[in-house]
Amino acid sequence: MSVFAPATPFADFIYRHFRSVHALKLGLALLVAVTINAIWAPPHFIWSMVTIVVIMMSLPQVGGAIEKSLQRAIGTCLGSAYGVMLVATVDSYWLIMSLLILAVSLICFISAGRYSYAYLVSGFTIIIVVGDANHDTSEALWRTANILSGCVIAILVSLFIFPIKAKQDWRSQLTHAIDNMAEVLAQHLKAPANHDLDFRAKLEAAMKAVLTQKKLFFSLEWESKTLKKHKVLLSQLANKQVRLITLLELLPLTRWQEEDKDAYLQINAVASELAFYLQQLAEFVAGKAQQLPTLPECLEQELQHRLQLALASAPITSTIVASTTDLDAAATDGEVPQGFALTGYSWLIYQLAIAVEALYEDIAIIEIAYNKQPASQITSGKAD
């Protein structure tokens, strides 16, 4: 099922109340650990509960819990193996502690990147297992076993009891970002000339939603094979949202003269279509529309032509008309064909069109991938 398909009532309920559900799941995981202790009473049982809290407290999503559990398990096994080896083979207190300090320092030096948590866990597991260097290997092994059992409990509870999916959160954040951008553009176009509306709050909310999307990438990889195959595309999609937000931040800074009003209104008529396309895209991502809406073929070329006509109708003395220097610079950049009468505002609307089209393209690729269509059918999502 597509990541953009309408959410089931159960999944929607879990997402809307995910804080309460997450707290309930953490309590159930601890209850499982307490029950195991009541039945078998394994030594150093407390480490099982500590592990559950560390893994589940800050990561409600299934993918995040799996990622962190596996890193903790790997780090625990490596750290425990080294710690047990020290306890079993070295009798000197100072030699054990020297080798412990050396290992932890080395781990600190190489710890970086995606698996930094595994390095961290291996470092403090060595310290936990070795302790004061006055116990036998059985105590170290029991501590390790309890940490691993805590990892298993955390994964099972996350997977099978009211699973909170990172896909649902990512999709909600993507909808929130696009919806805020569409609203900013629509409000700007409806406002009077030289308005002083402040869009910072909405654009900051959109940017926050984009940053949240980036934090969910690792979790998404564990939950969806399709999204894992397109993890580069997810990053590109986030960057394109940032570009669109940046362009929207420039809108309130635009200024024009009264004699330019007619040309400005014609340009805004073109821009209003972009706001409509963005709103349609947000509805599809939210699951309110079953099919991805289509864009006109060669949207940016069509807008280029219509903006040319709008500018051509403006007075010759209008301050909206671009200077020869601006045209030469634009032609040098190669972003638009020569002959396109660029101005600050019309150029901004043109770039907005390109950014909106780029969002459609990436979301269309993800949707087609979920439908398992051949790669040759992956298009930009435009109408034929």
Side-chain angles (χ1 to χ4, degrees):
M1 185 174 66
S2 171
V3 69
F4 302 122
T8 64
F10 180 67
D12 186 60
F13 173 83
I14 290 178
Y15 182 73
R16 285 188 290 107
H17 303 282
F18 82 93
R19 292 184 181 276
S20 300
V21 172
H22 183 217
L24 175 63
K25 291 176 64 173
L26 178 60
L28 288 175
L30 292 174
L31 179 60
V32 171
V34 169
T35 302
I36 292 174
N37 181 62
I39 297 174
W40 288 288
H44 305 290
F45 148 78
I46 194 64
W47 284 107
S48 178
M49 299 184 69
V50 169
T51 300
I52 291 171
V53 172
V54 169
I55 291 174
M56 297 185 65
M57 181 70 78
S58 60
L59 291 170
Q61 296 88 3
V62 171
I66 295 175
E67 167 90 9
K68 197 165 185 177
S69 294
L70 291 177
Q71 288 203 38
R72 189 174 180 89
I74 292 171
T76 296
C77 290
L78 293 176
S80 177
Y82 184 79
V84 169
M85 183 271 295
L86 291 181
V87 173
T89 60
V90 181
D91 294 330
S92 170
Y93 171 82
W94 286 109
L95 182 55
I96 287 180
M97 291 304 173
S98 297
L99 293 173
L100 182 151
I101 293 172
L102 178 62
V104 173
S105 299
L106 180 61
I107 290 171
C108 177
F109 177 75
I110 64 176
S111 175
R114 176 172 180 173
Y115 303 105
S116 58
Y117 182 67
Y119 289 112
L120 170 66
V121 171
S122 63
F124 69 69
T125 299
I126 295 173
I127 298 174
I128 291 170
V129 169
V130 173
D132 58 3
N134 291 322
H135 54 264
D136 57 24
T137 56
S138 63
E139 185 175 350
L141 292 174
W142 272 115
R143 291 185 181 186
T144 303
N146 278 288
I147 292 174
L148 293 177
S149 68
C151 292
V152 172
I153 293 171
I155 291 176
L156 293 178
V157 172
S158 296
L159 275 174
F160 300 111
I161 300 180
F162 305 131
I164 302 172
K165 297 296 184 68
K167 291 188 295 184
Q168 182 79 358
D169 196 9
W170 173 79
R171 167 183 167 177
S172 178
Q173 297 299 331
L174 179 59
T175 302
H176 186 57
I178 297 175
D179 197 47
N180 271 281
M181 291 186 282
E183 191 171 344
V184 166
L185 181 56
Q187 288 183 1
H188 169 78
L189 298 176
K190 293 177 182 178
N194 296 323
H195 65 78
D196 58 353
L197 295 178
D198 189 355
F199 299 128
R200 284 179 298 178
K202 289 188 178 298
L203 291 176
E204 286 175 0
M207 184 62 75
K208 183 178 179 181
V210 175
L211 295 176
T212 302
Q213 293 172 45
K214 291 184 176 182
K215 293 178 182 178
L216 294 170
F217 287 170
F218 288 155
S219 298
L220 291 172
E221 290 182 29
W222 286 100
E223 291 184 12
S224 171
K225 293 181 179 179
T226 302
L227 293 180
K228 185 175 182 179
K229 293 178 182 177
H230 293 81
K231 58 183 178 181
V232 175
L233 183 64
L234 293 179
S235 180
Q236 293 175 351
L237 180 60
N239 293 334
K240 289 175 182 178
Q241 292 172 70
V242 172
R243 180 173 183 268
L244 187 51
I245 292 171
T246 303
L247 291 170
L248 290 171
E249 287 177 335
L250 299 176
L251 279 179
L253 304 179
T254 55
R255 293 293 182 267
W256 54 90
Q257 302 300 325
E258 183 62 28
E259 59 266 26
D260 304 323
K261 184 176 180 180
D262 291 339
Y264 166 73
L265 292 177
Q266 292 183 56
I267 294 173
N268 272 7
V270 175
S272 63
E273 297 181 22
L274 297 179
F276 173 73
Y277 295 141
L278 272 177
Q279 190 59 53
Q280 280 194 320
L281 185 61
E283 290 179 0
F284 169 75
V285 173
K288 298 178 182 178
Q290 293 186 355
Q291 291 187 341
L292 178 68
T294 56
L295 293 177
E297 182 71 16
C298 301
L299 173 65
E300 68 274 13
Q301 285 85 353
E302 180 183 338
L303 284 178
Q304 171 188 326
H305 176 67
R306 292 172 62 184
L307 288 171
Q308 257 185 322
L309 295 177
L311 291 168
S313 66
I316 295 178
T317 57
S318 171
T319 56
I320 260 186
V321 178
S323 66
T324 305
T325 304
D326 292 336
L327 288 173
D328 292 340
T332 302
D333 291 341
E335 293 184 348
V336 292
Q338 283 186 323
F340 181 31
L342 287 175
T343 69
Y345 191 71
S346 61
W347 177 88
L348 185 58
I349 299 303
Y350 180 77
Q351 293 300 318
L352 282 170
I354 295 175
V356 170
E357 194 171 42
L359 284 184
Y360 266 80
E361 289 175 353
D362 286 352
I363 291 175
I365 291 174
I366 295 173
E367 175 66 7
I368 291 172
Y370 266 98
N371 292 332
K372 301 186 184 302
Q373 296 183 21
S376 59
Q377 297 185 22
I378 294 181
T379 65
S380 62
K382 303 174 189 175
D384 294 332

